[in-house]
Amino acid sequence: LSRVVGGIVGEGKEFCSEYELDELIALRMKDYSKHTAFYGVQIVDEPSKDQFLSIGQIFHSIKRVCPKAFVQCNLLPLSPFRMTCNRFPQGIDIFDKFEKYIEENNEDYSKITDEGIKDYMSHMQEIGKKPSTISRGLASIRSFYQYEAKNKNIENDPTEGIQSPKIEKRVPSILTSNEVALLLEQPKNVDLKGIRDKAMLEFAYATGMRVTEIISLNVEDINLETGYVTCKNGKKERTVPIGNMSLKALKEYISNARKTMIKDENEKALFVNVNGQRLTRQGFWKIIKYYKEQAHIEKEITPHVLRHSFATHLLQNGADLKSIQTMLGHSDILSTQIYMQFQDETLKNIYKK
């Protein structure tokens, strides 16, 4: 159903009545009528005002259309109120593959054992699936069987005790200092959009904040006098220094551009789009992609690449690992230590001691 519901949200429609939503979901579900057990929807937070369906609307509509549906919800704990569906059809594909496998092996999904689940994982490995894909699939299948066990549709959960395969951490992609400088000099302060984009890119690199954290910021989270930003991520909160270059660009944006861009004086969002509303995650990505092309940088640049570059450059310039961990909001310093691979051997030995 991630493909089904994702398609609905992807059209940017809002539904005023339960009937209209039910009708469209039923229409989209007709291709999946052969499924009697496996239905899944992956839902993530997207703080966009013009494109959303509430999680309650989606869940209850699916249950009305298909009462026995298992609805898998993968949530990011950013906003408990506004949710949109992940547009990637991974949710239903996972169950498609698993259902096909147990049918081909004459298994009964309600009677499959832990050995059967392990065999399926081995099968996925044999056909060339990555450990991350297998791990994601196991998580979805585990959620389904926990649901079935809770509702007493099966006696035992066959996934209980099964360990996910170890996933090798990818080497983060980073920009050189020259590439960062080239990217940041692309936005020109000749119009409102240019002033905003300059402030936004400078801010992203200067703070190392996640894209969802940046677009969720309100003006009140910025202290222009002290040069700090209060970053709120769920129940966690941290204070991050902004830096002189970013602070200068931010002051100009707030004073000279944002006031003109917003259409509603009650708008709290720090970074807004041309319609005066909170900038979306997709909007942020498109802006970075545009300036990357303008700078003729061949590397793929995403908001997270700026975050990786921020951490790596701090470490290379003598910042201690604990401070970087705090600024990035990592709960475990092991997540921060991944940047150690970019240091020379002398620095590595210092940190090992």
Side-chain angles (χ1 to χ4, degrees), residues 10-26:
E11 294 170 2
K13 294 182 178 179
E14 294 187 24
F15 297 88
C16 300
S17 68
E18 292 181 352
Y19 173 76
E20 189 175 5
L21 179 59
D22 290 357
E23 189 177 54
L24 190 47
I25 285 184

Side-chain angles (χ1 to χ4, degrees), residues 280-303:
T280 65
R281 182 187 181 96
Q282 291 86 353
F284 199 123
W285 278 60
K286 287 178 182 178
I287 290 167
I288 290 181
K289 183 179 179 181
Y290 172 76
Y291 288 114
K292 173 244 183 190
E293 292 172 352
Q294 292 296 304
H296 302 291
I297 298 174
E298 294 184 0
K299 290 179 182 175
E300 190 65 32
I301 304 178
T302 67

Side-chain angles (χ1 to χ4, degrees), residues 239-257:
T239 302
V240 183
I242 297 175
N244 293 332
M245 293 293 289
S246 176
L247 194 60
K248 180 182 177 182
L250 205 54
K251 285 179 178 178
E252 183 171 359
Y253 163 65
I254 292 175
S255 301
N256 302 326

Side-chain angles (χ1 to χ4, degrees), residues 75-140:
L75 304 181
L76 296 178
L78 290 173
S79 168
F81 305 110
R82 307 272 184 192
M83 301 288 176
T84 62
C85 290
N86 189 345
R87 297 185 188 187
F88 300 103
Q90 296 169 341
I92 193 68
D93 285 348
I94 288 170
F95 293 106
D96 273 338
K97 289 182 174 65
F98 183 58
E99 184 180 39
K100 183 179 179 181
Y101 174 82
I102 61 177
E103 285 178 354
E104 289 177 348
N105 288 272
N106 297 316
E107 292 270 14
D108 183 337
Y109 88 90
S110 63
K111 296 179 181 178
I112 195 170
T113 64
D114 58 343
E115 289 301 320
I117 300 295
K118 290 176 183 177
D119 288 343
Y120 174 68
M121 292 172 65
S122 298
H123 165 72
M124 295 293 282
Q125 187 175 13
E126 288 169 3
I127 62 176
K129 297 299 180 182
K130 297 178 181 178
S132 58
T133 302
I134 298 172
S135 180
R136 186 167 56 247
L138 177 61
S140 296

Side-chain angles (χ1 to χ4, degrees), residues 4 93 107-108 120 133 165 171 178 201 215 224 276 291 324 349:
V4 178
D93 285 348
E107 292 270 14
D108 183 337
Y120 174 68
T133 302
V171 177
N178 289 337
L201 292 186
I215 61 176
L224 295 176
Y291 288 114
I324 296 173
N349 292 332

